Amino acid sequence: MTEVTETTPEPASSPRRLYSLDALRGFDMFWIIGGDGIASEIGKLAKSDSVTAVTMQFSEHVEWAGFHFYDMIFPLFLFIIGTAIPWSVGRRLELGDSKRQILKKVLVRAAILFALGLIYNGVLRFEGWDHVRFFGVLQRQAFGYLVASILFLYTKPRTQAIVGVGILFFYWALLYAIPVPGYPHGNMSEWGNAANYVDRLFLHGRQMYEKYGDPEGPLSDIPAISTALLGVFAGRWLKGSEKPERKALGLLIAGLVCLALGLAWAPFFPVIKKIWTSSYVLVAGGASLLLLSLFYWIIDVKGWKKWSFPLVVIGLNPITIYLLSAIVDFGGIARFFFGGALKNVPLYEPLGMAVGVVLVEWLLLYELYRHKIVYRV
């Protein structure tokens, strides 16, 4: 990622750029900007328990412990950020930039991303610091990107692997070690776990997303580093000299191993997105590796690219559409253009509006793409 700017994007076909990574980033953002709403409306229309169960996977988070497809959308984006580090930071090293110069750019980017997170959370409403949610999605992305980039710059892969694995075990021990009044050590309920207890100690009122804690709180930021580092290793593997088919297979095997380890750990340390447990890191990371393997094999190995163009359009401006979705009333715009026609088919109106919102957002992103405008952080 680069500073916020208007620039001509590097062609997706460039050997220095993975077309599949842009498509995967777009696939991830599709669910955030409205794909979940489309899935939800399909489930309501079907009036079938089996169809509803499937669409819930793509539109709803689990209440607490467990895992839906939708629960991997957030870590997938952080994983993709990590995957891009060997290409972005690594390329600057190859071009001869000093580590100090690169670190300065990394710090600036992380600070901008964190600030955008505060803006997304409403800091510009100026309602007082007790109403500002300091932690959030973009803030966690900034933290993971910052730490993973520093580790990539100043340590060897072996050290990075030790840190990534060590963090997972450290976080597990930490949640069992910190006492929560009224609950036994290692309690993993909403109110009894140590991560949310720390949130309640230092955050108050609207500074937290939930009354019992914040899903992006400070303690659960720690294992997010491992999510980003998984991406770093995936990016380094893809950038290596192995044959493309072998790269895809390596990602597939790594994904299956991570999934198996996460599920094996789950009985002892449950898979919980809202406190980013270590087993959740492995399950979500494994799923991310499998998706990357699939996209890379289809797009970059087999060369089947045309189908993914709509996703690439989204993937080139992800932060732009994420922020605009909180600022612009895309629902109102979609209703202005499609509302009249959809009134004639009331049964399908909610689904039509959900599709219309995504269409309006995509057309805006297509205009940016057509004019070669990319806003990057």
Side-chain angles (χ1 to χ4, degrees):
M1 296 188 298
T2 58
E3 62 274 12
V4 177
T5 183
E6 180 175 320
T7 180
T8 302
E10 190 176 2
S13 59
S14 166
R16 292 185 176 275
R17 189 179 192 94
L18 285 177
Y19 196 96
S20 57
L21 199 60
D22 287 331
L24 182 58
R25 190 185 298 111
F27 173 80
D28 191 46
M29 286 303 302
F30 166 76
W31 299 103
I32 296 173
I33 66 175
D36 55 348
I38 294 174
S40 178
E41 294 302 331
I42 290 173
K44 293 174 185 176
L45 274 176
K47 297 181 180 179
S48 164
D49 291 342
S50 57
V51 174
T52 299
V54 171
T55 56
M56 282 178 60
Q57 285 285 330
F58 297 90
S59 60
E60 295 183 17
H61 295 296
V62 294
E63 285 295 323
W64 185 246
F67 190 81
H68 283 176
F69 170 86
Y70 198 50
D71 292 309
M72 70 164 291
I73 296 302
F74 181 5
L76 175 59
F77 199 88
L78 182 53
F79 170 86
I80 291 170
I81 287 175
T83 304
I85 288 174
W87 299 82
S88 57
V89 176
R91 186 185 179 194
R92 290 190 176 278
L93 285 171
E94 292 165 3
L95 291 174
D97 289 2
S98 70
K99 291 182 178 180
R100 184 175 180 180
Q101 288 174 315
I102 299 171
L103 177 61
K104 182 179 178 181
K105 290 181 179 296
V106 166
L107 289 169
V108 170
R109 294 168 189 165
I112 292 173
L113 193 55
F114 190 91
L116 290 175
L118 291 178
I119 292 171
Y120 184 90
N121 286 352
V123 69
L124 296 182
R125 288 196 288 267
F126 300 110
E127 296 175 333
W129 291 114
D130 57 331
H131 285 66
V132 175
R133 185 171 169 236
F134 291 98
F135 299 93
V137 171
L138 294 181
Q139 292 91 320
R140 177 158 293 178
Q141 309 285 18
F143 179 70
Y145 164 72
L146 174 63
V147 178
S149 295
I150 291 173
L151 287 169
F152 180 82
L153 271 174
Y154 293 101
T155 66
K156 297 182 181 299
R158 183 172 181 271
T159 301
Q160 294 160 26
I162 292 172
V163 170
V165 173
I167 283 173
L168 297 182
F169 283 101
F170 170 74
Y171 187 59
W172 186 27
L174 196 63
L175 292 197
Y176 274 82
I178 297 176
V180 180
Y183 294 90
H185 281 269
N187 185 279
M188 289 296 151
S189 66
E190 291 93 328
W191 289 90
N193 74 84
N196 283 342
Y197 174 60
V198 169
D199 293 344
R200 297 195 298 273
L201 285 178
F202 296 100
L203 306 173
H204 305 282
R206 288 174 60 181
Q207 291 179 337
M208 295 187 295
Y209 190 78
E210 307 276 5
K211 290 184 178 179
Y212 54 75
D214 195 293
E216 284 83 49
L219 213 59
S220 60
D221 272 340
I222 297 172
I225 297 170
S226 296
T227 299
L229 285 174
L230 269 176
V232 169
F233 278 99
R236 184 182 283 112
W237 172 250
L238 288 176
K239 198 179 178 185
S241 58
E242 299 286 345
K243 292 183 178 180
E245 293 82 0
R246 184 174 174 81
K247 291 179 181 179
L249 179 61
L251 292 173
L252 174 65
I253 293 172
L256 292 174
V257 169
C258 284
L259 270 176
L261 291 174
L263 293 174
W265 203 346
F268 311 97
F269 196 16
V271 176
I272 305 174
K273 174 189 180 293
K274 289 186 177 180
I275 52 174
W276 215 275
T277 56
S278 301
S279 58
Y280 170 73
V281 170
L282 291 172
V283 169
S288 299
L289 284 162
L290 292 179
L291 271 176
L292 179 58
S293 173
L294 178 64
F295 273 64
Y296 178 73
W297 183 79
I298 292 174
I299 296 173
D300 288 311
V301 177
K302 304 301 291 184
W304 300 330
K305 295 181 178 181
K306 290 183 179 180
W307 68 273
S308 63
F309 173 73
L311 298 179
V312 172
V313 169
I314 300 173
L316 288 175
N317 271 296
I319 301 300
T320 302
I321 195 60
Y322 182 77
L323 290 171
L324 287 179
S325 65
I327 300 170
V328 178
D329 182 13
F330 287 111
I333 297 173
R335 186 164 297 281
F336 177 84
F337 286 103
F338 310 119
L342 289 172
K343 285 181 180 179
N344 297 315
V345 283
L347 180 63
Y348 298 98
E349 184 176 2
L351 175 59
M353 285 303 304
V355 173
V357 167
V358 174
L359 179 59
V360 169
E361 292 171 325
W362 189 87
L363 288 172
L364 170 63
L365 291 173
Y366 178 71
E367 277 300 299
L368 295 178
Y369 174 88
R370 194 167 65 87
H371 290 92
K372 298 183 179 180
I373 299 172
V374 175
Y375 293 101
R376 298 178 182 174
V377 176

